[in-house]
Amino acid sequence: MAQITVNWFSSTMLRCQNSTVILPEGIKDGSTIPTLWLLHGKGDGHTTWSRNTSIERYAKERGIAVVMPDAENSNYADMAHGYPFYRTIANELFDVMGGFFNLSDKREDNWIAGNSMGGGGALKIGLANPDRFSAIGCLSAGDTVFPFPGGKPGENPDVDAILKRVYDARETVGTEEDVLGNAQKIVTDGLPAPRIYHAIGKDDFLLSAAHRTRDFFASLEGNPFDYTYVEDEGDHNWAYWDEHIVKFLDFVGV
């Protein structure tokens, strides 16, 4: 395996971005590489999955690439006061990295997952682009990670500041931010439905957000997303995410 830090120019952001990429060995000439797009949580960055888990070993065992972009504390959104992280990661990154490393563009060869803010981001990006990803892994999050517990406006100034910077008064209904609405649209319009693996620990502070998401998918007749919900022993930490990224890859079948 090779682990590479890629400093690339984003024409969407008009600045350079960093991503960590894990690449398998022994790919034959002309072959394209199945890819896991792996998103970090709030306060972390593009190196944290590789520093805190055995993701490189898991990728080697399965012969896949892993692309880990940096999204700062953007909630993977096109920020009201900041950079367009959603468009950069959902669209531009896919094309740029595919060009650099000959990654597969086949839907069945692409999966998106993440932890905490990245878990919510994986649901957002995956459900807004169902033709691109065949599976979504949401770890320790739900369709939203806002507000945090006790997060009514005015109760937590730090959360209020993040929400204003990310969304301010932006309308989100009918956009990529309307995660459950986009899931319903996939069903209503007969679009390809990504399979979803959703896991959270019983002691996680985002449990209520996960339950909201679980209840929505449970209400869909016939389980069109092959939605799998796991609520087991664990907390909001790297031990849990290291365990469940393996279970997500097993769920994908790679």
Side-chain angles (χ1 to χ4, degrees):
M1 301 295 289
Q3 182 168 289
I4 304 167
T5 299
V6 184
N7 182 255
W8 56 284
F9 181 78
S10 167
S11 59
T12 306
M13 290 192 174
L14 298 178
R15 73 171 196 182
C16 285
Q17 279 287 98
N18 287 320
S19 299
T20 296
V21 180
I22 295 171
L23 292 171
E25 300 173 23
I27 300 298
K28 297 179 181 179
D29 291 343
S31 298
T32 55
I33 310 170
T35 306
L36 170 64
W37 304 82
L38 190 55
L39 310 182
H40 67 78
K42 179 180 176 291
D44 287 335
H46 66 101
T47 67
T48 48
W49 269 99
S50 60
R51 289 190 288 115
N52 290 285
T53 74
S54 295
I55 187 61
E56 183 172 347
R57 177 163 57 85
Y58 306 147
K60 181 178 181 180
E61 292 168 352
R62 291 163 170 81
I64 64 172
V66 184
V67 177
M68 295 165 279
D70 203 303
E72 300 176 11
N73 284 345
S74 66
N75 204 38
Y76 296 89
D78 285 344
M79 300 174 71
H81 306 286
Y83 288 97
F85 279 97
Y86 169 79
R87 281 183 288 137
T88 301
I89 292 173
N91 299 319
E92 187 180 14
L93 181 78
F94 195 85
D95 295 333
V96 168
M97 293 300 161
F100 283 158
F101 302 115
N102 205 31
L103 306 180
S104 174
D105 62 0
K106 296 178 181 177
R107 180 177 183 270
E108 62 267 26
D109 288 342
N110 285 278
W111 324 288
I112 188 166
N115 66 302
S116 193
M117 181 185 81
L123 280 175
K124 177 192 301 184
I125 294 171
L127 291 171
N129 300 274
D131 58 333
R132 183 167 290 175
F133 303 101
S134 61
I136 299 168
C138 177
L139 309 182
S140 300
D143 65 284
T144 179
V145 292
F146 294 112
F148 295 126
K152 295 179 181 179
E155 289 187 359
N156 189 325
D158 292 336
V159 172
D160 288 348
I162 293 172
L163 285 168
K164 183 173 180 61
R165 188 163 60 249
V166 174
Y167 296 114
D168 204 344
R170 178 187 169 192
E171 177 59 60
T172 58
V173 175
T175 73
E176 71 279 354
E177 298 293 334
D178 188 4
V179 177
L180 301 186
N182 287 333
Q184 184 63 63
K185 178 178 173 61
I186 289 170
V187 175
T188 302
D189 292 355
L191 301 175
R195 302 174 66 223
I196 298 175
Y197 178 85
H198 187 187
I200 192 165
K202 293 179 179 178
D203 297 320
D204 198 296
F205 71 96
L206 288 175
L207 200 58
S208 60
H211 286 172
R212 161 189 154 98
T213 306
R214 174 202 63 190
D215 293 347
F216 168 81
F217 282 102
S219 72
L220 298 177
E221 185 176 355
N223 194 11
F225 294 89
D226 190 21
Y227 177 77
T228 298
Y229 180 77
V230 177
E231 185 176 313
D232 54 1
E233 297 301 325
D235 209 333
H236 202 83
N237 57 39
W238 283 105
Y240 190 84
W241 302 325
D242 191 29
E243 174 186 355
H244 281 276
I245 196 62
V246 176
K247 292 183 178 181
F248 172 67
L249 291 171
D250 290 342
F251 173 79
V252 166
V254 64

